[in-house]
Amino acid sequence: MKLVAGNSNLALANAIAGYLDVPLCKADVRRFADKEIFVEIQENVRGEDVFVLQSTSFPANDNLMEMLILVDALRRSSAKRITTVIPYFGYARQDRRTAGRTPISAKLVANLITEAGSDRVLTIDLHAGQIQGFFDIPTDNLFAEPVISKDIMDHYTSNGPLAVVSPDVGGVVRARAIAKRVDAPLAIVDKRRDRPGESEVMNVIGEVDGMSCLLVDDIVDSGGTLCNAADALLSMGAKEVSAYITHGVLSGGAVTRIAGSNLKELVTTDTIETTEAVKNAHNIRIVTVAGLLGEAIMRTALEKSVSSLFA
């Protein structure tokens, strides 16, 4: 087995390498003066089972191109099998045509990854599960549920009655799975989005009075939805509101918005590299998925079941 990391999230790549006790493959990934990407694999990978570790987070296009060029370099170096490990699949929100003359960018990126030479894909919490079908190669969509559920059990089960809350109707399946794991009731925030990046909370479906509420979602970007949902839950009598998110995009002024909100705590995983602003925020905490990804990589290499991780 060989692990090759791009520059998008070296901290997570090193943590995965530590879990597997396999050093990262020596590779030179740098830029020419005009920012064109250059890659050179500095170890022999002929006949090897290679895993490329790269999130397509900000800057999304640079990190995507870096990943594609890494895969191409490995294919041309005669790697036996190339598995692209994408902790955060950045174009997953563009999974359908929402208006006339718009692209389906998730399908385009799936085609690019396949054509570059990937033999399989490993990712976490796709924004839309059907994106697995956009790939013509085996694709494993892991779930952050075990990591999030364990953290909830460690930090919140002693705080009195809990309610797991989906911030919108589309996230109900994810929230229900975590509610079942932690044996808590489920509630739903019904919201109306007037334009991209903005949301207006309309109603709360379910009982939250006197409960510690845990909002569960896959992506936090601007943070507006979470902050509005927290206000709505508190107005309905919730004792306190925290949030568990898989991918902390946190663009623009999201960190400042969350720091000044009524959220007691935002817990996110390290699928996206943690910025200094996030590290310094008083109410944002990071949990790692290195063990989850490391175990899935090991099982893939040994041709063992990956789905049994979530049984």
Side-chain angles (χ1 to χ4, degrees):
M1 184 199 303
K2 294 277 190 181
L3 301 178
V4 179
N7 291 316
S8 69
N9 197 340
L10 285 172
L12 177 59
N14 282 312
I16 293 170
Y19 178 89
L20 294 169
D21 197 22
V22 175
L24 293 176
C25 181
K26 293 178 182 177
D28 185 13
V29 184
R30 53 187 171 85
R31 303 291 192 273
F32 290 116
D34 63 352
K35 303 304 179 183
E36 188 176 303
I37 298 167
F38 173 80
V39 167
E40 182 182 4
I41 309 299
Q42 297 176 328
E43 292 183 20
N44 180 25
V45 295
R46 184 179 295 274
E48 294 279 2
D49 195 3
V50 184
F51 294 83
V52 178
L53 312 175
Q54 180 83 330
S55 283
T56 53
S57 50
F58 176 85
N61 298 329
D62 284 359
N63 287 329
L64 174 61
M65 277 304 300
E66 198 173 277
M67 178 178 67
L68 296 174
I69 294 170
L70 275 167
V71 171
D72 184 73
L74 291 164
R75 179 173 61 88
R76 295 177 188 278
S77 301
S78 301
K80 181 179 69 176
R81 182 175 68 173
I82 302 169
T83 301
T84 307
V85 182
I86 314 172
Y88 171 62
F89 187 87
Y91 277 89
R93 286 176 285 182
Q94 301 178 50
D95 64 300
R96 65 194 185 281
R97 296 188 67 192
T98 55
R101 298 172 297 282
T102 57
I104 304 178
S105 302
K107 173 60 176 170
L108 172 63
V109 172
N111 288 344
L112 290 170
I113 292 169
T114 303
E115 290 301 316
S118 290
D119 295 297
R120 64 184 307 124
V121 167
L122 191 64
T123 188
I124 296 182
D125 274 352
L126 282 171
H127 185 63
Q130 66 267 22
I131 293 174
Q132 294 174 82
F134 290 1
F135 289 91
D136 293 325
I137 54 178
T139 302
D140 290 310
N141 181 30
L142 308 181
F143 304 106
E145 286 171 24
V147 175
I148 290 174
S149 299
K150 182 180 185 304
D151 195 83
I152 291 173
M153 299 293 284
D154 290 343
H155 291 87
Y156 283 95
T157 50
S158 60
N159 288 11
L162 286 178
V164 174
V165 183
S166 173
D168 53 36
V169 175
V172 169
V173 173
R174 181 180 299 103
R176 183 186 292 120
I178 291 176
K180 184 177 179 181
R181 280 180 176 263
V182 301
D183 193 24
L186 176 68
I188 304 166
V189 175
D190 172 42
K191 73 172 189 294
R192 179 177 300 161
R193 187 183 298 274
D194 295 325
R195 60 185 64 87
E198 295 184 14
S199 63
E200 180 185 357
V201 172
M202 302 299 291
N203 199 9
V204 177
I205 303 168
E207 181 58 48
V208 297
D209 188 27
M211 295 185 174
S212 296
C213 291
L214 302 176
L215 287 158
V216 174
D217 208 354
D218 62 326
I219 296 174
V220 55
D221 191 347
S222 67
T225 295
L226 286 185
C227 296
N228 291 344
D231 292 341
L233 291 167
L234 290 169
S235 71
M236 295 290 289
K239 185 171 70 174
E240 62 183 25
V241 182
S242 297
Y244 277 84
I245 308 294
T246 305
H247 308 297
V249 177
L250 298 171
S251 59
V255 174
T256 302
R257 184 176 295 110
I258 288 166
S261 73
N262 287 316
L263 280 172
K264 176 187 176 184
E265 184 180 45
L266 168 66
V267 183
T268 183
T269 75
D270 56 352
T271 57
I272 295 174
E273 189 169 44
T274 308
T275 63
E276 285 301 316
V278 170
K279 291 177 183 176
N280 295 330
H282 73 279
N283 62 342
I284 301 179
R285 181 163 56 87
I286 307 297
V287 294
T288 186
V289 290
L292 175 66
L293 279 170
E295 187 66 26
I297 288 170
M298 183 172 67
R299 293 186 180 205
T300 300
L302 297 175
E303 304 290 351
K304 291 185 177 180
S305 170
V306 172
S307 60
S308 60
L309 280 171
F310 311 101

